Amino acid sequence: MTTMKLQKLCYYSQGWHLAWDERPLFADPIQAWANGPVIYSVFDNHRGKFTVDAWPYGDAGALTPEERETVDAVLEHYGDLTGQTLSDMTHEERPWKEARGDLPLGARCQTQLSLDTMQDYFGDLASAQ
């Protein structure tokens, strides 16, 4: 998959886990980059690559059943979308928009997305379903 898609699937996994289980899925902060939310530690591991076909930097077996359920649900719902489509979607969502503030499109930004805002945003989406 593209690294952009990987980043956005991580963002959506974090958001939905916050909504459903009221705690973060992972501790790494998410930054409001120009092309959408990015986890810098993940970026650092795929720097210079456009796609990844394996990810040796984690242990899926260490996920709790609830965490695995979140990741599986995110992959089921978002997995067929392209990285660009996912990026475009994040640009319409409150967590990324609030972190970016009044910055012009394309401007560099390392501001972290608020976990509280993510939990509220995705919680509201969950309630509307």
Side-chain angles (χ1 to χ4, degrees), residues 15-127:
W16 284 110
H17 197 69
L18 285 164
W20 293 330
D21 293 286
E22 299 181 346
R23 60 185 173 80
L25 180 62
F26 52 85
D28 299 52
I30 303 174
Q31 299 177 356
W33 286 22
N35 285 326
V38 171
I39 299 99
Y40 186 83
S41 61
V42 173
F43 169 79
D44 207 27
N45 284 317
H46 68 63
R47 182 188 309 266
K49 297 178 185 171
F50 180 73
T51 62
V52 292
D53 58 5
W55 194 257
Y57 306 105
D59 179 7
L63 295 173
T64 67
E66 293 81 15
E67 292 167 342
R68 182 171 291 281
E69 186 177 337
T70 296
V71 172
D72 287 346
V74 166
L75 292 174
E76 176 71 24
H77 186 78
Y78 299 98
D80 289 337
L81 302 175
T82 67
Q84 186 60 57
T85 298
L86 293 169
S87 178
D88 292 345
M89 289 168 53
T90 66
H91 286 213
E92 301 300 320
E93 297 172 352
R94 186 165 47 105
W96 182 83
K97 289 167 75 171
E98 281 187 9
R100 299 277 303 171
D102 294 332
L103 286 174
L105 285 176
R108 293 179 65 111
C109 178
Q110 294 179 327
T111 302
Q112 294 180 15
L113 277 67
S114 161
L115 292 180
D116 289 338
T117 300
M118 289 179 67
Q119 185 169 358
D120 289 346
Y121 175 78
F122 285 95
D124 288 348
L125 290 178
S127 296

